[in-house]
Amino acid sequence: MPLSRRIHKFLEKTKKKKVDKKNEDEDDESDAAIKVQERLRKKVTNLIKKQKLPAVRQIVEGQDDTKPWNQDAKAKVGSHLIELLTQSAYIQPPADQLADCPPDIRPAFRHSFKTVVKENKKTGRRYGVIECDPLVRKGLERTAKHMVMPYMPMLVPPVKWTGYDRGAYLFLPSYIMRTHGAKQQREAVRRTPGKQLEKVFEALDTLGYTKWRVNKRILSVVDRIWTSGGRLADLVDRNDVPLPEKPDSEDEALLRKWKWKVKSVKKENRERHSQRCDVELKLAVARKMKDEEGFYYPHNVDFRGRAYPMHPYLNHLGSDLCRGILEFAEGHPLGRSGLHWLKIHLANLYAGGVDKLSHEGRLAFTENHLDDIFDSADKPLEGRRWWLKAEDPFQCLAVCINLTEALRSSSPETFLSHIPVHQDGSCNGLQHYAALGRDKLGAAAVNLVAGEKPADVYSGIAARVLDIMRRDAQKDPAVFRDALHAKALVNQVDRKLVKQTVMTSVYGVTYIGARDQIKRRLKERDVITDDKELFGASCYAAKTTLIALGEMFQAARAIMNWLGECAKIIASENQPVSWTTPLGLPVVQPYRVFGRHLVKTSLQVLTLQRETEKIMVKRQRTAFPPNFVHSLDGSHMMMTAVACKKAGLTFAGVHDSYWTHASDVDKMNRILREKFVELYETPILENLLESFQQSFPTLSFPPLPERGDFDLRDVLESPYFFN
């Protein structure tokens, strides 16, 4: 129950008792009890006046005897509220309706049943659906100003975290972890002593205390594009694709083709509708906050310990649109190093291969495009629109404007910049594996060691794949069946073909997953038109890519396999895999078999999912390696956040992308490298194995994988570790 409701209930309860005592001759309660209630009421009232909410919460929660509703009660009340909505909400008749016509009044929402039949299945499942009238749906995508958004950015700093449900928002229910109903995970965090979680609390408070504001010039450009129908800078088209006309023919083949086109267009229009609603929600928040001096994003963590803003729409974890609209509320003078990093940042945002150049190459790119940058800043939509060619156009435009103002000022180095400058990890999951395994070859591939320019792991894997395919193409097809596939693919191998598979290798991508990823890339190129040939080529390319990955990242593969084996042993005992992150946060993998539970409501019979005691063994095994690495990258980000705060830096983080003012990038770079080394100088895998052995003394776990001799301190001197 929200705190405001609890306070109201407490005040009413104590007030009522006072009145009862005055009006009745006999009362079951003693004078002493009444006086205690009166004193408590007075104390709470005074604390509210002094805005001491934590103390109010403690008293009120101690007096609250309300029991939470169970899942069945919530389902029944929720269904009845929906039923009341369908019975009472109607569409108003249009303003231009003729007076002598009956009013066109119809329900805004309808409850009906639909049967959904999956492909290749004869029978379907019947679902209850709530449908909006088309006018309501159209209105929602036109404006989101009437939408209720409870977890808005805060105008005052968030309440500091002190417990599982104590911190962040002043009155809204706030929980430090998003458990999504996983009872065991929730209880594990609740049981953890506050002292153990102090570092997590401090990191989340640091992220929540970063003050933001809306970049009004970017918002103005976005509004102009959106008003004109979208379609620029990755904004969705505000108009639907027209449905194809039905052919005036009895030809079955033509009609089938037409039906397929109609289905495809309807799917495209549904996606556009969803994207338009998403843009409207983001813009509604931006317009609401644009005149505020600054605002804050309270943060919490997912079950692995990765931090997220609690407000879901306009935040720095969002798309280029969100990131372009947001900037730090506090400005810092650029200084010489800040001007240098602002230019590099612009090249990184432009991307298209420019972000793979050395720092000097990126600086040269920006210097060579100053005319385009000035034109973009002066005439974003009327000029040459150079900024629209960038991979992140709105962020690129924001930097174009900032850099233009700085360079035109009388003293560029004293110019106040509000732009957050990013430093991103290079295939960060593999960086963590290379550090865990002290893997020299892997470390060099993902920039843990210094180089003249950034190593590109995707190009490295593509080169290995190409070598293998060239050798295979020379073989006799009668002996080696894939020789023909190798010949067909030799000219198709590039970093784009293998990039998604390399990225997802950290998350335990399977052979089938890799095959489907590569098949999509090949299909886009339309080089192999025969479906059977395309499938065979995709199978061969996936197998070859995974071989190349295994060769380059042997240590990573060994650690992944070891983690998976440990998880399998634990899950086979019908126990979830659990561990504690380096910052003391307990993690319990939530993967259990769900049971079905029927609840009869006034609307329909609902089928609810409920956790059972049975563990999903395969899911526990496959999810553990990526979840464990995510808990480590979350720890690294939190350690960096706290250290940056102590050094007086403004800091924001998006998993493996760390942000600060341009003038402070050098300091942040030093800190994030030091914290990475500090993290991996602790015996992480040894501690994990020891915790497993203590929790399951009767089980036998495989020995730790062998480690290489990579010197972690090389990271301190690597300019492209994060860049």
Side-chain angles (χ1 to χ4, degrees):
M1 190 190 292
L3 180 58
S4 54
R5 179 77 188 90
R6 279 201 173 108
I7 293 169
H8 177 74
K9 186 184 173 191
F10 170 79
L11 294 175
E12 285 297 308
K13 185 179 170 184
T14 51
K15 179 182 170 185
K16 186 181 176 187
K17 287 189 175 178
K18 194 174 176 183
V19 171
D20 287 348
K21 178 68 181 168
K22 196 182 286 183
N23 293 345
E24 293 178 13
D25 296 330
E26 291 181 17
D27 198 298
D28 294 337
E29 291 187 16
S30 65
D31 287 343
I34 294 292
K35 283 175 182 175
V36 167
Q37 290 287 335
E38 285 176 1
R39 276 201 303 272
L40 273 176
R41 177 185 170 82
K42 193 173 180 181
K43 189 176 180 181
V44 166
T45 308
N46 287 333
L47 286 168
I48 290 170
K49 286 176 184 174
K50 293 176 184 176
Q51 295 189 335
K52 294 189 174 178
L53 289 171
V56 172
R57 183 197 294 269
Q58 200 172 357
I59 294 169
V60 170
E61 285 182 354
Q63 296 290 312
D64 187 15
D65 55 0
T66 310
K67 289 182 180 176
W69 291 356
N70 61 25
Q71 199 180 28
D72 287 21
K74 289 176 185 175
K76 288 177 181 180
V77 173
S79 294
H80 189 57
L81 289 172
I82 290 172
E83 190 176 27
L84 291 173
L85 180 68
T86 59
Q87 292 168 359
S88 57
Y90 288 88
I91 298 291
Q92 286 184 313
D96 58 352
Q97 185 175 330
L98 297 173
D100 56 347
C101 295
D104 180 21
I105 298 174
R106 55 185 187 271
F109 306 96
R110 292 185 185 85
H111 173 251
S112 60
F113 291 94
K114 285 189 176 179
T115 302
V116 179
V117 182
K118 289 189 177 177
E119 284 183 44
N120 306 322
K121 289 197 175 181
K122 292 180 181 177
T123 57
R125 290 188 67 181
R126 198 160 173 257
Y127 293 91
V129 292
I130 308 296
E131 289 182 298
C132 287
D133 185 275
L135 277 175
V136 175
R137 204 165 64 243
K138 207 74 184 162
L140 286 173
E141 72 173 43
R142 207 174 295 126
T143 177
K145 68 180 179 184
H146 304 301
M147 295 288 287
V148 177
M149 295 181 233
Y151 287 86
M152 286 288 284
M154 293 180 70
L155 299 182
V156 294
V159 178
K160 288 190 173 184
W161 284 105
T162 56
Y164 172 75
D165 56 357
R166 294 192 299 278
Y169 284 92
L170 292 167
F171 297 109
L172 292 168
S174 304
Y175 305 98
I176 198 164
M177 184 179 279
R178 305 168 182 213
T179 59
H180 299 291
K183 189 178 175 183
Q184 205 168 349
Q185 174 68 78
R186 184 173 65 245
E187 292 310 311
V189 181
R190 278 186 184 278
R191 285 196 308 268
T192 306
K195 187 82 178 163
Q196 184 179 320
L197 293 174
E198 274 180 358
K199 289 179 182 175
V200 176
F201 293 157
E202 189 180 3
L204 291 175
D205 292 340
T206 299
L207 295 168
Y209 271 54
T210 297
K211 196 174 184 181
W212 300 85
R213 73 177 191 183
V214 168
N215 185 326
K216 292 182 185 178
R217 285 192 63 179
I218 298 300
L219 180 59
S220 169
V221 173
V222 174
D223 275 334
R224 284 177 63 193
I225 295 171
W226 194 236
T227 305
S228 304
R231 298 184 301 279
L232 283 179
D234 299 328
L235 284 178
V236 64
D237 193 329
R238 295 193 76 177
N239 297 310
D240 278 350
V241 180
L243 288 170
E245 286 187 22
K246 187 176 180 179
D248 187 15
S249 168
E250 299 296 319
D251 187 332
E252 283 293 322
L254 265 178
L255 288 170
R256 265 199 310 273
K257 196 174 180 182
W258 168 75
K259 282 179 183 175
W260 180 256
K261 278 185 179 176
V262 168
K263 189 179 177 183
S264 175
V265 167
K266 283 184 175 178
K267 182 174 180 285
E268 168 68 19
N269 286 339
R270 282 197 301 273
E271 287 170 1
R272 286 190 182 188
H273 168 74
S274 175
Q275 289 169 8
R276 287 193 286 260
C277 290
D278 181 58
V279 171
E280 274 299 338
L281 284 166
K282 290 176 167 73
L283 292 181
V285 178
R287 289 166 189 147
K288 191 176 179 69
M289 307 306 291
K290 73 174 181 179
D291 294 320
E292 300 295 345
E293 177 211 346
F295 47 86
Y296 305 86
Y297 288 107
H299 280 62
N300 62 3
V301 294
D302 67 7
F303 79 92
R304 302 162 302 186
R306 276 184 147 192
Y308 294 84
M310 292 171 74
H311 169 74
Y313 304 119
L314 183 78
N315 65 54
H316 54 289
L317 259 78
S319 61
D320 170 60
L321 170 66
C322 299
R323 294 179 179 194
I325 287 172
L326 291 171
E327 63 182 10
F328 290 139
E330 187 184 338
H332 281 195
L334 279 172
R336 184 174 293 178
S337 74
L339 200 57
H340 167 95
W341 280 111
L342 197 61
K343 291 174 181 177
I344 289 174
H345 184 48
L346 190 142
N348 288 342
L349 293 169
Y350 191 85
V354 178
D355 51 329
K356 304 295 178 288
L357 300 173
S358 65
H359 286 150
E360 291 72 24
R362 292 178 231 182
L363 278 168
F365 170 83
T366 300
E367 295 285 355
N368 292 337
H369 285 87
L370 284 178
D371 281 348
D372 291 319
I373 291 164
F374 295 157
D375 179 73
S376 296
D378 295 336
K379 296 175 285 185
L381 297 176
E382 297 80 12
R384 296 193 294 272
R385 298 184 174 188
W386 176 81
W387 63 278
L388 283 174
K389 297 174 187 171
E391 206 165 283
D392 294 307
F394 287 121
Q395 291 175 85
C396 180
L397 178 60
V399 179
C400 285
I401 292 168
N402 201 244
L403 188 58
T404 299
E405 289 175 346
L407 293 175
R408 285 177 178 169
S409 70
S410 56
S411 173
E413 291 180 13
T414 59
F415 178 80
L416 289 180
S417 175
H418 296 258
I419 294 288
V421 173
H422 317 166
Q423 295 289 282
D424 299 347
S426 311
C427 208
N428 191 238
L430 288 171
Q431 289 182 321
H432 284 276
Y433 273 119
L436 275 172
R438 303 293 194 273
D439 175 18
K440 264 189 175 175
L441 182 63
V446 289
N447 295 302
L448 264 62
V449 293
E452 289 183 9
K453 65 175 188 175
D456 180 17
V457 64
Y458 309 116
S459 297
I461 293 293
R464 278 179 177 257
V465 169
L466 189 58
D467 284 345
I468 296 168
M469 286 188 178
R470 278 177 176 154
R471 289 198 301 270
D472 288 349
Q474 304 300 318
K475 295 176 183 176
D476 181 0
V479 179
F480 184 70
R481 287 170 58 191
D482 282 325
L484 293 174
H485 291 139
K487 282 179 184 172
L489 289 170
V490 159
N491 294 324
Q492 296 303 315
V493 178
D494 56 17
R495 72 188 301 277
K496 192 176 179 183
L497 186 73
V498 301
K499 183 176 179 179
Q500 194 179 6
T501 304
V502 175
M503 282 172 69
T504 52
S505 66
V506 185
Y507 312 118
V509 69
T510 61
Y511 160 71
I512 291 168
R515 180 197 70 200
D516 291 345
Q517 289 166 352
I518 289 170
K519 186 181 173 186
R520 280 195 293 274
R521 298 292 83 79
L522 290 172
K523 200 167 187 177
E524 286 166 7
R525 300 176 187 193
D526 207 22
V527 175
I528 304 171
T529 51
D530 182 78
D531 283 349
K532 192 176 177 183
E533 279 296 309
L534 179 65
F535 182 79
S538 304
C539 291
Y540 168 68
K543 185 170 61 180
T544 310
T545 304
L546 292 174
I547 288 168
L549 267 165
E551 288 174 359
M552 188 176 276
F553 296 101
Q554 286 180 4
R557 186 60 59 191
I559 293 168
M560 279 185 216
N561 291 340
W562 181 80
L563 292 169
E565 277 303 305
C566 290
K568 184 180 175 184
I569 290 165
I570 293 166
S572 297
E573 297 293 309
N574 201 43
Q575 292 293 326
V577 181
S578 60
W579 68 98
T580 302
T581 73
L583 294 190
L585 186 75
V587 179
V588 182
Q589 290 200 142
Y591 315 113
R592 294 173 179 271
V593 175
F594 279 99
R596 292 174 69 203
H597 170 61
L598 300 180
V599 181
K600 190 175 181 181
T601 73
S602 59
L603 202 62
Q604 66 175 75
V605 175
L606 291 178
T607 306
L608 304 182
Q609 283 190 331
R610 269 191 183 166
E611 267 189 359
T612 66
E613 293 301 311
K614 189 168 173 56
I615 292 292
M616 296 168 72
V617 177
K618 187 179 177 183
R619 188 84 176 93
Q620 289 279 343
R621 178 178 63 79
T622 57
F624 180 43
N627 284 341
F628 183 67
V629 170
H630 281 322
S631 75
L632 295 177
D633 74 37
S635 297
H636 178 222
M637 197 263 268
M638 287 185 173
M639 289 165 72
T640 304
V642 172
C644 283
K645 183 193 80 170
K646 287 176 180 172
L649 276 62
T650 300
F651 180 88
V654 182
H655 306 324
D656 62 347
S657 179
Y658 299 175
W659 303 8
T660 193
H661 286 95
S663 56
D664 293 329
V665 170
D666 286 326
K667 289 180 197 167
M668 184 183 75
N669 269 329
R670 177 179 51 77
I671 290 168
L672 71 87
R673 283 160 175 76
E674 287 171 355
K675 291 299 156 187
F676 188 82
V677 172
E678 183 186 320
L679 174 65
Y680 283 103
E681 279 179 340
T682 59
I684 289 172
L685 291 180
E686 287 80 358
N687 291 346
L688 181 68
L689 179 58
E690 189 182 331
S691 74
F692 286 163
Q693 289 168 338
Q694 285 177 355
S695 300
F696 306 100
T698 59
L699 299 181
S700 178
F701 293 96
L704 287 167
E706 285 185 22
R707 251 71 62 86
D709 56 358
F710 168 64
D711 184 356
L712 272 176
R713 301 197 70 77
D714 285 353
V715 171
L716 299 173
E717 306 303 323
S718 173
Y720 300 111
F721 167 54
F722 270 59
N723 72 98

